[in-house]
Amino acid sequence: MERLMLEASRYLLTAGDLAVLAPQGAGEQAPAGAQVHELASNPTWRMLLGTAWRGRQISRAFMPDLVLASSGLMAPAAYIAARQRKLPYAIFVHGLDIVYPHPVYQRLFLPAIRRANQVIANSSYTAELARAKGISGDRLQILHPGVQTRLDAASAEEIEQFRRKNDLDGTLLLSVGRLTPRKGLAEFVDRSLPGILEAVPDALLVIVGEDATQALGQGVARDAIIAAARRRGVSDHIRFLGKLPEASLQLAWQASQLHVFPIRAIPGDVEGFGMVAMEAAARGLWTIAFSVGGVVDAVSPGQSGVLVAQNDYEGFSRAVVEALSGENVKHPEQARQYAQGFDWSRYGERLLEICRGLSAAG
């Protein structure tokens, strides 16, 4: 979500002035020219109240033509900021911010999303969730997140140094993202990894990311992964790299042979798109994923990966083993070609179209 908002800000700045209300530290990453107003993000209730209050102040002083909220969590603040000057406002929704089951959220935040002039869903799945919650179709737009496709390739020496530094020998199965129960890594380790190791004894699951601490549906997942690995006797085939700086993350992608994305279908906790699958495709890396939620919009079967029926862990193991032996993984041009259709430039052009239409209508 952070990358999505950063790229959105860059394109919005090409059309005019931009004021951003964001958590502390955001100013260091914000594009040049944006007015950044920072707020403490903890505790959550204080952040929400502060966003509503500061958003109203900024709206009065900045006098925008349009208000955008980065997620459903920011919908009430966007509504307040827009209402005082009778401005149109739009909400980006990502899936979980539609179905989050807390009764206070459903009673206070969902109405603010429904009132938005435009709801921008990250996938067809998220759009369906929005319709089911009473958001009218004429206010819905589907705008898939983008991906950077113009990437510099690391040298073989740089990749080998990264492998040695992190004790990464063998065939690397990469997982990237914040660790939550929805990501399904504990179940993957328990029910799929042993079968993969029977066919590919040198396979190594490389996990990039940390437990989520500030997110809807947050949960501790690392301990569950470690427990599953010990129970199944596969601890030596797992490496936790934590949160990596961008340069190291790029090396992790390029050092790996396959991206695994064993997302679970959990009531009240959904995967709205699966942006990480697009990151993999942009690097020519296939994704093996369960056919869950918005992931079906992010993986093109036979071109950028394989979709497996949810909860079919034996099928997931087979798909990984077959992919590792297949020509598509060895010749990744098709995956890169697929990612081209999601380049950030296309995302930015479409976002500007939506915003111009709202401003004109408002």
Side-chain angles (χ1 to χ4, degrees), residues 168-215:
L168 305 179
D169 292 326
T171 302
L172 305 189
L173 311 178
L174 184 64
S175 170
V176 177
R178 285 184 290 189
L179 304 183
T180 67
R182 182 178 80 244
K183 301 300 183 181
L185 286 176
E187 291 75 14
F188 170 78
V189 168
D190 183 39
R191 301 175 64 182
S192 285
L193 187 56
I196 294 169
L197 290 171
E198 288 180 8
V200 188
D202 70 340
L204 193 67
L205 174 62
V206 180
I207 300 173
V208 176
E210 298 175 335
D211 278 316
T213 57
Q214 298 177 26

mmCIF file of all heavy atoms in Angstrom, residues 168-215:
data_model
loop_
_atom_site.group_PDB
_atom_site.id
_atom_site.type_symbol
_atom_site.label_atom_id
_atom_site.label_comp_id
_atom_site.label_asym_id
_atom_site.label_seq_id
_atom_site.Cartn_x
_atom_site.Cartn_y
_atom_site.Cartn_z
ATOM 1 N N LEU A 168 22.404 -18.722 1.647
ATOM 2 C CA LEU A 168 21.340 -19.167 0.748
ATOM 3 C C LEU A 168 21.923 -20.096 -0.312
ATOM 4 O O LEU A 168 22.335 -19.671 -1.388
ATOM 5 C CB LEU A 168 20.657 -17.963 0.081
ATOM 6 C CG LEU A 168 20.094 -16.894 1.017
ATOM 7 C CD1 LEU A 168 19.480 -15.752 0.215
ATOM 8 C CD2 LEU A 168 19.065 -17.496 1.964
ATOM 9 N N ASP A 169 21.959 -21.377 0.002
ATOM 10 C CA ASP A 169 22.430 -22.379 -0.953
ATOM 11 C C ASP A 169 21.239 -23.098 -1.563
ATOM 12 O O ASP A 169 20.203 -23.265 -0.921
ATOM 13 C CB ASP A 169 23.333 -23.402 -0.253
ATOM 14 C CG ASP A 169 24.644 -22.784 0.203
ATOM 15 O OD1 ASP A 169 25.135 -21.893 -0.507
ATOM 16 O OD2 ASP A 169 25.155 -23.189 1.262
ATOM 17 N N GLY A 170 21.386 -23.542 -2.784
ATOM 18 C CA GLY A 170 20.363 -24.380 -3.377
ATOM 19 C C GLY A 170 19.322 -23.625 -4.172
ATOM 20 O O GLY A 170 19.550 -22.520 -4.680
ATOM 21 N N THR A 171 18.132 -24.224 -4.265
ATOM 22 C CA THR A 171 17.009 -23.696 -5.047
ATOM 23 C C THR A 171 16.150 -22.822 -4.136
ATOM 24 O O THR A 171 15.583 -23.316 -3.157
ATOM 25 C CB THR A 171 16.165 -24.848 -5.614
ATOM 26 O OG1 THR A 171 17.004 -25.680 -6.427
ATOM 27 C CG2 THR A 171 15.006 -24.317 -6.444
ATOM 28 N N LEU A 172 16.025 -21.541 -4.473
ATOM 29 C CA LEU A 172 15.371 -20.590 -3.578
ATOM 30 C C LEU A 172 13.906 -20.379 -3.949
ATOM 31 O O LEU A 172 13.579 -19.982 -5.074
ATOM 32 C CB LEU A 172 16.102 -19.250 -3.601
ATOM 33 C CG LEU A 172 17.606 -19.277 -3.294
ATOM 34 C CD1 LEU A 172 18.128 -17.853 -3.130
ATOM 35 C CD2 LEU A 172 17.912 -20.117 -2.063
ATOM 36 N N LEU A 173 13.023 -20.641 -2.988
ATOM 37 C CA LEU A 173 11.600 -20.343 -3.097
ATOM 38 C C LEU A 173 11.353 -19.104 -2.259
ATOM 39 O O LEU A 173 11.480 -19.138 -1.030
ATOM 40 C CB LEU A 173 10.758 -21.512 -2.578
ATOM 41 C CG LEU A 173 11.112 -22.902 -3.105
ATOM 42 C CD1 LEU A 173 10.218 -23.946 -2.456
ATOM 43 C CD2 LEU A 173 10.992 -22.946 -4.617
ATOM 44 N N LEU A 174 10.990 -18.006 -2.905
ATOM 45 C CA LEU A 174 10.928 -16.715 -2.224
ATOM 46 C C LEU A 174 9.508 -16.345 -1.821
ATOM 47 O O LEU A 174 8.555 -16.527 -2.584
ATOM 48 C CB LEU A 174 11.485 -15.629 -3.153
ATOM 49 C CG LEU A 174 11.591 -14.207 -2.574
ATOM 50 C CD1 LEU A 174 12.577 -14.171 -1.406
ATOM 51 C CD2 LEU A 174 12.018 -13.225 -3.659
ATOM 52 N N SER A 175 9.381 -15.815 -0.595
ATOM 53 C CA SER A 175 8.133 -15.209 -0.128
ATOM 54 C C SER A 175 8.446 -13.797 0.329
ATOM 55 O O SER A 175 9.387 -13.585 1.105
ATOM 56 C CB SER A 175 7.550 -16.023 1.037
ATOM 57 O OG SER A 175 6.476 -15.326 1.646
ATOM 58 N N VAL A 176 7.666 -12.821 -0.147
ATOM 59 C CA VAL A 176 7.912 -11.420 0.182
ATOM 60 C C VAL A 176 6.627 -10.794 0.703
ATOM 61 O O VAL A 176 5.571 -10.913 0.075
ATOM 62 C CB VAL A 176 8.398 -10.626 -1.058
ATOM 63 C CG1 VAL A 176 8.575 -9.153 -0.720
ATOM 64 C CG2 VAL A 176 9.711 -11.206 -1.575
ATOM 65 N N GLY A 177 6.700 -10.128 1.846
ATOM 66 C CA GLY A 177 5.533 -9.423 2.365
ATOM 67 C C GLY A 177 5.443 -9.512 3.876
ATOM 68 O O GLY A 177 6.104 -10.341 4.515
ATOM 69 N N ARG A 178 4.627 -8.633 4.455
ATOM 70 C CA ARG A 178 4.421 -8.677 5.899
ATOM 71 C C ARG A 178 3.809 -10.014 6.297
ATOM 72 O O ARG A 178 2.963 -10.564 5.586
ATOM 73 C CB ARG A 178 3.519 -7.514 6.335
ATOM 74 C CG ARG A 178 4.249 -6.180 6.335
ATOM 75 C CD ARG A 178 3.393 -5.062 6.845
ATOM 76 N NE ARG A 178 2.325 -4.725 5.916
ATOM 77 C CZ ARG A 178 1.534 -3.676 6.047
ATOM 78 N NH1 ARG A 178 1.665 -2.872 7.077
ATOM 79 N NH2 ARG A 178 0.589 -3.425 5.149
ATOM 80 N N LEU A 179 4.244 -10.520 7.418
ATOM 81 C CA LEU A 179 3.820 -11.845 7.863
ATOM 82 C C LEU A 179 2.507 -11.739 8.628
ATOM 83 O O LEU A 179 2.446 -11.175 9.722
ATOM 84 C CB LEU A 179 4.896 -12.472 8.756
ATOM 85 C CG LEU A 179 6.292 -12.577 8.132
ATOM 86 C CD1 LEU A 179 7.242 -13.285 9.090
ATOM 87 C CD2 LEU A 179 6.246 -13.297 6.796
ATOM 88 N N THR A 180 1.469 -12.292 8.049
ATOM 89 C CA THR A 180 0.163 -12.381 8.699
ATOM 90 C C THR A 180 -0.365 -13.798 8.479
ATOM 91 O O THR A 180 0.063 -14.494 7.550
ATOM 92 C CB THR A 180 -0.840 -11.370 8.116
ATOM 93 O OG1 THR A 180 -1.131 -11.742 6.757
ATOM 94 C CG2 THR A 180 -0.299 -9.944 8.159
ATOM 95 N N PRO A 181 -1.299 -14.255 9.303
ATOM 96 C CA PRO A 181 -1.872 -15.593 9.087
ATOM 97 C C PRO A 181 -2.444 -15.780 7.688
ATOM 98 O O PRO A 181 -2.393 -16.877 7.131
ATOM 99 C CB PRO A 181 -2.958 -15.671 10.166
ATOM 100 C CG PRO A 181 -2.462 -14.779 11.266
ATOM 101 C CD PRO A 181 -1.789 -13.636 10.556
ATOM 102 N N ARG A 182 -2.972 -14.695 7.086
ATOM 103 C CA ARG A 182 -3.560 -14.801 5.745
ATOM 104 C C ARG A 182 -2.540 -15.228 4.696
ATOM 105 O O ARG A 182 -2.889 -15.872 3.702
ATOM 106 C CB ARG A 182 -4.164 -13.449 5.351
ATOM 107 C CG ARG A 182 -4.849 -13.458 4.000
ATOM 108 C CD ARG A 182 -5.469 -12.111 3.667
ATOM 109 N NE ARG A 182 -4.519 -11.147 3.167
ATOM 110 C CZ ARG A 182 -4.194 -10.011 3.785
ATOM 111 N NH1 ARG A 182 -4.724 -9.709 4.938
ATOM 112 N NH2 ARG A 182 -3.336 -9.168 3.255
ATOM 113 N N LYS A 183 -1.278 -14.909 4.906
ATOM 114 C CA LYS A 183 -0.249 -15.244 3.920
ATOM 115 C C LYS A 183 -0.006 -16.748 3.822
ATOM 116 O O LYS A 183 0.561 -17.221 2.837
ATOM 117 C CB LYS A 183 1.063 -14.526 4.245
ATOM 118 C CG LYS A 183 0.953 -13.011 4.279
ATOM 119 C CD LYS A 183 0.504 -12.413 2.959
ATOM 120 C CE LYS A 183 0.471 -10.895 3.017
ATOM 121 N NZ LYS A 183 0.003 -10.281 1.754
ATOM 122 N N GLY A 184 -0.405 -17.496 4.849
ATOM 123 C CA GLY A 184 -0.422 -18.949 4.737
ATOM 124 C C GLY A 184 0.918 -19.650 4.795
ATOM 125 O O GLY A 184 1.015 -20.828 4.429
ATOM 126 N N LEU A 185 1.969 -18.996 5.268
ATOM 127 C CA LEU A 185 3.291 -19.625 5.233
ATOM 128 C C LEU A 185 3.424 -20.774 6.229
ATOM 129 O O LEU A 185 4.103 -21.768 5.947
ATOM 130 C CB LEU A 185 4.374 -18.571 5.486
ATOM 131 C CG LEU A 185 4.634 -17.620 4.316
ATOM 132 C CD1 LEU A 185 5.642 -16.565 4.708
ATOM 133 C CD2 LEU A 185 5.099 -18.383 3.087
ATOM 134 N N ALA A 186 2.791 -20.667 7.397
ATOM 135 C CA ALA A 186 2.872 -21.766 8.361
ATOM 136 C C ALA A 186 2.242 -23.035 7.783
ATOM 137 O O ALA A 186 2.798 -24.143 7.902
ATOM 138 C CB ALA A 186 2.187 -21.373 9.668
ATOM 139 N N GLU A 187 1.097 -22.886 7.134
ATOM 140 C CA GLU A 187 0.425 -24.028 6.513
ATOM 141 C C GLU A 187 1.236 -24.565 5.339
ATOM 142 O O GLU A 187 1.295 -25.788 5.115
ATOM 143 C CB GLU A 187 -0.972 -23.621 6.058
ATOM 144 C CG GLU A 187 -1.949 -23.342 7.186
ATOM 145 C CD GLU A 187 -1.702 -22.001 7.871
ATOM 146 O OE1 GLU A 187 -0.947 -21.157 7.324
ATOM 147 O OE2 GLU A 187 -2.256 -21.797 8.968
ATOM 148 N N PHE A 188 1.854 -23.673 4.586
ATOM 149 C CA PHE A 188 2.710 -24.101 3.474
ATOM 150 C C PHE A 188 3.883 -24.934 3.983
ATOM 151 O O PHE A 188 4.206 -25.993 3.424
ATOM 152 C CB PHE A 188 3.219 -22.877 2.720
ATOM 153 C CG PHE A 188 4.294 -23.168 1.715
ATOM 154 C CD1 PHE A 188 3.983 -23.708 0.481
ATOM 155 C CD2 PHE A 188 5.627 -22.920 2.011
ATOM 156 C CE1 PHE A 188 4.973 -23.990 -0.446
ATOM 157 C CE2 PHE A 188 6.626 -23.198 1.082
ATOM 158 C CZ PHE A 188 6.299 -23.738 -0.147
ATOM 159 N N VAL A 189 4.520 -24.469 5.051
ATOM 160 C CA VAL A 189 5.646 -25.202 5.630
ATOM 161 C C VAL A 189 5.199 -26.563 6.142
ATOM 162 O O VAL A 189 5.899 -27.575 5.981
ATOM 163 C CB VAL A 189 6.290 -24.374 6.757
ATOM 164 C CG1 VAL A 189 7.269 -25.216 7.573
ATOM 165 C CG2 VAL A 189 7.009 -23.156 6.174
ATOM 166 N N ASP A 190 4.015 -26.604 6.727
ATOM 167 C CA ASP A 190 3.503 -27.840 7.308
ATOM 168 C C ASP A 190 3.040 -28.844 6.253
ATOM 169 O O ASP A 190 3.326 -30.048 6.348
ATOM 170 C CB ASP A 190 2.347 -27.500 8.250
ATOM 171 C CG ASP A 190 1.787 -28.710 8.967
ATOM 172 O OD1 ASP A 190 2.582 -29.591 9.373
ATOM 173 O OD2 ASP A 190 0.563 -28.797 9.124
ATOM 174 N N ARG A 191 2.394 -28.357 5.207
ATOM 175 C CA ARG A 191 1.669 -29.263 4.316
ATOM 176 C C ARG A 191 2.224 -29.341 2.883
ATOM 177 O O ARG A 191 1.879 -30.256 2.147
ATOM 178 C CB ARG A 191 0.196 -28.859 4.281
ATOM 179 C CG ARG A 191 -0.455 -28.902 5.664
ATOM 180 C CD ARG A 191 -1.870 -28.382 5.660
ATOM 181 N NE ARG A 191 -2.760 -29.211 4.848
ATOM 182 C CZ ARG A 191 -4.057 -28.932 4.666
ATOM 183 N NH1 ARG A 191 -4.590 -27.852 5.240
ATOM 184 N NH2 ARG A 191 -4.799 -29.716 3.901
ATOM 185 N N SER A 192 3.052 -28.386 2.491
ATOM 186 C CA SER A 192 3.597 -28.419 1.123
ATOM 187 C C SER A 192 5.108 -28.575 1.072
ATOM 188 O O SER A 192 5.636 -29.300 0.223
ATOM 189 C CB SER A 192 3.213 -27.137 0.365
ATOM 190 O OG SER A 192 1.864 -27.152 -0.020
ATOM 191 N N LEU A 193 5.818 -27.893 1.951
ATOM 192 C CA LEU A 193 7.279 -27.897 1.860
ATOM 193 C C LEU A 193 7.881 -29.295 1.979
ATOM 194 O O LEU A 193 8.809 -29.631 1.209
ATOM 195 C CB LEU A 193 7.873 -26.959 2.910
ATOM 196 C CG LEU A 193 9.384 -26.737 2.829
ATOM 197 C CD1 LEU A 193 9.788 -26.222 1.447
ATOM 198 C CD2 LEU A 193 9.846 -25.760 3.921
ATOM 199 N N PRO A 194 7.398 -30.165 2.882
ATOM 200 C CA PRO A 194 7.983 -31.517 2.930
ATOM 201 C C PRO A 194 7.874 -32.259 1.601
ATOM 202 O O PRO A 194 8.824 -32.941 1.179
ATOM 203 C CB PRO A 194 7.169 -32.212 4.030
ATOM 204 C CG PRO A 194 6.733 -31.093 4.931
ATOM 205 C CD PRO A 194 6.442 -29.959 3.999
ATOM 206 N N GLY A 195 6.749 -32.145 0.921
ATOM 207 C CA GLY A 195 6.583 -32.799 -0.371
ATOM 208 C C GLY A 195 7.505 -32.222 -1.426
ATOM 209 O O GLY A 195 8.027 -32.949 -2.283
ATOM 210 N N ILE A 196 7.719 -30.919 -1.381
ATOM 211 C CA ILE A 196 8.643 -30.282 -2.324
ATOM 212 C C ILE A 196 10.055 -30.792 -2.095
ATOM 213 O O ILE A 196 10.792 -31.092 -3.047
ATOM 214 C CB ILE A 196 8.576 -28.748 -2.169
ATOM 215 C CG1 ILE A 196 7.203 -28.223 -2.603
ATOM 216 C CG2 ILE A 196 9.694 -28.074 -2.963
ATOM 217 C CD1 ILE A 196 6.950 -26.772 -2.229
ATOM 218 N N LEU A 197 10.438 -30.938 -0.826
ATOM 219 C CA LEU A 197 11.800 -31.366 -0.506
ATOM 220 C C LEU A 197 12.067 -32.804 -0.926
ATOM 221 O O LEU A 197 13.215 -33.169 -1.201
ATOM 222 C CB LEU A 197 12.048 -31.192 0.999
ATOM 223 C CG LEU A 197 12.137 -29.742 1.470
ATOM 224 C CD1 LEU A 197 12.168 -29.671 2.993
ATOM 225 C CD2 LEU A 197 13.362 -29.057 0.875
ATOM 226 N N GLU A 198 11.034 -33.617 -0.996
ATOM 227 C CA GLU A 198 11.225 -34.984 -1.480
ATOM 228 C C GLU A 198 11.715 -34.985 -2.923
ATOM 229 O O GLU A 198 12.544 -35.815 -3.313
ATOM 230 C CB GLU A 198 9.916 -35.764 -1.371
ATOM 231 C CG GLU A 198 9.514 -36.115 0.053
ATOM 232 C CD GLU A 198 8.210 -36.889 0.096
ATOM 233 O OE1 GLU A 198 7.705 -37.282 -0.986
ATOM 234 O OE2 GLU A 198 7.692 -37.103 1.204
ATOM 235 N N ALA A 199 11.206 -34.050 -3.721
ATOM 236 C CA ALA A 199 11.583 -33.981 -5.138
ATOM 237 C C ALA A 199 12.755 -33.036 -5.380
ATOM 238 O O ALA A 199 13.535 -33.241 -6.318
ATOM 239 C CB ALA A 199 10.380 -33.533 -5.971
ATOM 240 N N VAL A 200 12.867 -31.988 -4.544
ATOM 241 C CA VAL A 200 13.929 -30.987 -4.711
ATOM 242 C C VAL A 200 14.627 -30.837 -3.353
ATOM 243 O O VAL A 200 14.325 -29.928 -2.574
ATOM 244 C CB VAL A 200 13.347 -29.624 -5.171
ATOM 245 C CG1 VAL A 200 14.471 -28.650 -5.540
ATOM 246 C CG2 VAL A 200 12.397 -29.798 -6.346
ATOM 247 N N PRO A 201 15.549 -31.729 -3.032
ATOM 248 C CA PRO A 201 16.138 -31.756 -1.680
ATOM 249 C C PRO A 201 16.884 -30.496 -1.277
ATOM 250 O O PRO A 201 17.046 -30.242 -0.077
ATOM 251 C CB PRO A 201 17.099 -32.962 -1.748
ATOM 252 C CG PRO A 201 16.596 -33.797 -2.871
ATOM 253 C CD PRO A 201 16.028 -32.842 -3.867
ATOM 254 N N ASP A 202 17.333 -29.700 -2.245
ATOM 255 C CA ASP A 202 18.081 -28.494 -1.892
ATOM 256 C C ASP A 202 17.203 -27.248 -1.856
ATOM 257 O O ASP A 202 17.708 -26.124 -1.767
ATOM 258 C CB ASP A 202 19.248 -28.277 -2.858
ATOM 259 C CG ASP A 202 18.796 -27.867 -4.247
ATOM 260 O OD1 ASP A 202 17.608 -28.103 -4.594
ATOM 261 O OD2 ASP A 202 19.608 -27.294 -5.000
ATOM 262 N N ALA A 203 15.868 -27.420 -1.907
ATOM 263 C CA ALA A 203 14.963 -26.263 -1.878
ATOM 264 C C ALA A 203 15.080 -25.537 -0.543
ATOM 265 O O ALA A 203 15.220 -26.147 0.520
ATOM 266 C CB ALA A 203 13.529 -26.707 -2.120
ATOM 267 N N LEU A 204 15.011 -24.221 -0.614
ATOM 268 C CA LEU A 204 15.132 -23.373 0.569
ATOM 269 C C LEU A 204 14.054 -22.299 0.510
ATOM 270 O O LEU A 204 13.960 -21.575 -0.484
ATOM 271 C CB LEU A 204 16.517 -22.722 0.602
ATOM 272 C CG LEU A 204 16.972 -22.047 1.896
ATOM 273 C CD1 LEU A 204 17.177 -23.070 2.997
ATOM 274 C CD2 LEU A 204 18.267 -21.266 1.649
ATOM 275 N N LEU A 205 13.212 -22.214 1.527
ATOM 276 C CA LEU A 205 12.192 -21.172 1.600
ATOM 277 C C LEU A 205 12.815 -19.916 2.196
ATOM 278 O O LEU A 205 13.261 -19.922 3.348
ATOM 279 C CB LEU A 205 11.014 -21.633 2.456
ATOM 280 C CG LEU A 205 9.921 -20.581 2.731
ATOM 281 C CD1 LEU A 205 9.261 -20.127 1.428
ATOM 282 C CD2 LEU A 205 8.881 -21.130 3.711
ATOM 283 N N VAL A 206 12.848 -18.851 1.429
ATOM 284 C CA VAL A 206 13.445 -17.580 1.855
ATOM 285 C C VAL A 206 12.307 -16.594 2.126
ATOM 286 O O VAL A 206 11.538 -16.266 1.215
ATOM 287 C CB VAL A 206 14.395 -17.031 0.778
ATOM 288 C CG1 VAL A 206 15.015 -15.716 1.235
ATOM 289 C CG2 VAL A 206 15.473 -18.050 0.449
ATOM 290 N N ILE A 207 12.217 -16.138 3.364
ATOM 291 C CA ILE A 207 11.098 -15.286 3.781
ATOM 292 C C ILE A 207 11.605 -13.867 4.029
ATOM 293 O O ILE A 207 12.426 -13.630 4.924
ATOM 294 C CB ILE A 207 10.436 -15.844 5.056
ATOM 295 C CG1 ILE A 207 9.907 -17.261 4.790
ATOM 296 C CG2 ILE A 207 9.309 -14.930 5.518
ATOM 297 C CD1 ILE A 207 9.385 -17.964 6.034
ATOM 298 N N VAL A 208 11.113 -12.942 3.216
ATOM 299 C CA VAL A 208 11.448 -11.525 3.363
ATOM 300 C C VAL A 208 10.224 -10.819 3.925
ATOM 301 O O VAL A 208 9.153 -10.847 3.312
ATOM 302 C CB VAL A 208 11.855 -10.899 2.015
ATOM 303 C CG1 VAL A 208 12.093 -9.400 2.173
ATOM 304 C CG2 VAL A 208 13.104 -11.587 1.472
ATOM 305 N N GLY A 209 10.357 -10.188 5.085
ATOM 306 C CA GLY A 209 9.236 -9.496 5.706
ATOM 307 C C GLY A 209 9.206 -9.750 7.195
ATOM 308 O O GLY A 209 9.889 -10.639 7.715
ATOM 309 N N GLU A 210 8.407 -8.951 7.884
ATOM 310 C CA GLU A 210 8.289 -9.045 9.334
ATOM 311 C C GLU A 210 6.830 -9.192 9.717
ATOM 312 O O GLU A 210 5.931 -8.945 8.900
ATOM 313 C CB GLU A 210 8.870 -7.789 9.992
ATOM 314 C CG GLU A 210 10.357 -7.588 9.717
ATOM 315 C CD GLU A 210 10.876 -6.279 10.270
ATOM 316 O OE1 GLU A 210 10.052 -5.342 10.438
ATOM 317 O OE2 GLU A 210 12.082 -6.178 10.537
ATOM 318 N N ASP A 211 6.584 -9.561 10.961
ATOM 319 C CA ASP A 211 5.211 -9.607 11.452
ATOM 320 C C ASP A 211 4.570 -8.241 11.316
ATOM 321 O O ASP A 211 5.195 -7.208 11.608
ATOM 322 C CB ASP A 211 5.179 -10.035 12.925
ATOM 323 C CG ASP A 211 5.275 -11.542 13.090
ATOM 324 O OD1 ASP A 211 4.585 -12.255 12.339
ATOM 325 O OD2 ASP A 211 6.032 -12.002 13.958
ATOM 326 N N ALA A 212 3.304 -8.213 10.877
ATOM 327 C CA ALA A 212 2.571 -6.960 10.755
ATOM 328 C C ALA A 212 2.291 -6.397 12.141
ATOM 329 O O ALA A 212 1.830 -7.112 13.024
ATOM 330 C CB ALA A 212 1.256 -7.183 10.007
ATOM 331 N N THR A 213 2.576 -5.116 12.332
ATOM 332 C CA THR A 213 2.316 -4.481 13.630
ATOM 333 C C THR A 213 1.293 -3.365 13.546
ATOM 334 O O THR A 213 0.715 -2.988 14.550
ATOM 335 C CB THR A 213 3.620 -3.892 14.206
ATOM 336 O OG1 THR A 213 4.184 -2.967 13.261
ATOM 337 C CG2 THR A 213 4.629 -4.996 14.486
ATOM 338 N N GLN A 214 1.077 -2.821 12.337
ATOM 339 C CA GLN A 214 0.117 -1.732 12.168
ATOM 340 C C GLN A 214 -0.703 -1.998 10.916
ATOM 341 O O GLN A 214 -0.433 -1.468 9.857
ATOM 342 C CB GLN A 214 0.820 -0.373 12.034
ATOM 343 C CG GLN A 214 1.624 0.018 13.249
ATOM 344 C CD GLN A 214 2.351 1.318 13.020
ATOM 345 O OE1 GLN A 214 1.936 2.142 12.219
ATOM 346 N NE2 GLN A 214 3.443 1.509 13.719
ATOM 347 N N ALA A 215 -1.703 -2.854 11.048
ATOM 348 C CA ALA A 215 -2.532 -3.170 9.895
ATOM 349 C C ALA A 215 -3.826 -3.781 10.361
ATOM 350 O O ALA A 215 -3.896 -4.382 11.426
ATOM 351 C CB ALA A 215 -1.806 -4.160 8.974
#
